[in-house]
Amino acid sequence: MKNYFIFHVILLCCILLISGCDNSKDKVATISAHSDSEYVQTFEDLHLGILFDFDFKLLHADKHWVDLWMERYQNGIKESQPLTQLSYGNSPNHGNEGQLGFGVINPISEDTFVFLYGPDVRTEPSRIEKETKDDMLTSWDYAIGDEEVELALGETKILAVYRETEGNSIRTVDYQDKESLNNMIKQDDMVWLLKIRIEETNANHNEGMQQKS
């Protein structure tokens, strides 16, 4: 009986150990909002516009590809092309971490510029077409908190939201709730969604460390 008990204890330990190893393999990346970073403070001090900044850690960076993009919806309709996008991958390093984010220069002006950046990569600021109205309310917020969020392979995650609407108020929305998000897109005049997705490197992505804007 004693040997039987010891055998089951050892078996249980082995199962827990194997489960732990499997979880570590499934862990692709982590990300968290960094709303008080030096990047954000510089943007605010210089009155440049809006900056969403994140701490980003990518495991197995030599085998994965990062897609970061900003979708724009106008009057509930999604535009066919992202407002801006950045893709990079096949890093020579096994791990890759640093700051990642999205910036808007002059957000309430006709001369509005947007850009994306990640660890060691970035896009040049590009001018976008943007209609401005005096009675338009604007709102922007992180869709995740300052605690680390794990990103699964192939999962699309909303990181931040920028909104514009006519009226005297903007309602609070749970950005991770699909129904609430869809209602917001339909009701607001314009919505931008910052999204990220991690994929395995394949034939659809060019060889070597690359970026696209």
Side-chain angles (χ1 to χ4, degrees):
M1 179 65 70
K2 182 178 180 180
N3 291 336
Y4 180 81
F5 175 76
I6 294 175
F7 170 78
H8 278 79
V9 170
I10 294 174
L11 180 61
L12 178 61
C13 291
C14 291
I15 293 174
L16 292 175
L17 181 60
I18 292 172
S19 299
C21 292
D22 288 342
N23 289 336
S24 65
K25 289 181 180 178
D26 293 339
K27 188 176 180 180
V28 175
T30 61
I31 192 166
S32 59
H34 197 177
S35 58
D36 59 350
S37 70
E38 292 184 4
Y39 288 2
V40 174
Q41 290 300 321
T42 298
F43 241 65
E44 292 178 352
D45 291 343
L46 297 178
H47 303 286
L48 293 175
I50 305 166
L51 189 74
F52 295 107
D53 190 46
F54 303 85
D55 289 324
F56 180 63
K57 298 177 183 177
L58 177 65
L59 306 178
H60 312 294
D62 52 338
K63 299 178 180 179
H64 292 138
W65 201 269
V66 179
D67 290 315
L68 183 69
W69 72 99
M70 178 64 83
E71 290 179 352
R72 178 161 65 173
Y73 297 78
Q74 298 206 71
N75 299 315
I77 300 175
K78 177 183 174 182
E79 295 188 348
S80 58
Q81 295 296 324
L83 195 64
T84 182
Q85 59 185 340
L86 171 68
S87 294
Y88 67 95
N90 269 5
S91 170
N93 302 316
H94 181 69
N96 184 257
E97 63 180 272
Q99 301 303 109
L100 174 148
F102 170 75
V104 190
I105 302 173
N106 301 326
I108 58 175
S109 168
E110 292 184 357
D111 291 322
T112 299
F113 293 82
V114 296
F115 63 92
L116 293 165
Y117 60 92
D120 303 320
V121 293
R122 63 181 177 86
T123 65
E124 294 295 331
S126 57
R127 187 178 183 275
I128 62 170
E129 294 184 3
K130 187 172 180 294
E131 184 178 353
T132 59
K133 296 180 180 179
D134 294 336
D135 57 348
M136 193 72 72
L137 290 179
T138 63
S139 174
W140 55 91
D141 196 10
Y142 289 90
I144 64 173
D146 56 6
E147 295 184 359
E148 283 191 351
V149 174
E150 289 191 13
L151 300 177
L153 194 64
E155 173 193 16
T156 298
K157 191 75 172 178
I158 298 175
L159 301 179
V161 179
Y162 174 85
R163 308 162 58 187
E164 290 187 359
T165 189
E166 291 185 270
N168 54 15
S169 65
I170 294 182
R171 65 189 183 90
T172 302
V173 174
D174 179 359
Y175 300 121
Q176 300 303 329
D177 180 75
K178 188 174 182 179
E179 183 177 354
S180 297
L181 190 69
N182 288 336
N183 289 335
M184 177 194 71
I185 290 173
K186 293 176 182 177
Q187 294 173 8
D188 289 352
D189 292 88
M190 185 173 69
V191 175
W192 298 356
L193 301 179
L194 178 63
K195 296 185 174 183
I196 190 171
R197 182 174 59 242
I198 313 298
E199 297 178 335
E200 289 184 345
T201 303
N202 53 45
N204 294 327
H205 292 127
N206 296 328
E207 292 296 327
M209 172 68 81
Q210 303 239 344
Q211 70 178 76
K212 65 183 180 183
S213 60

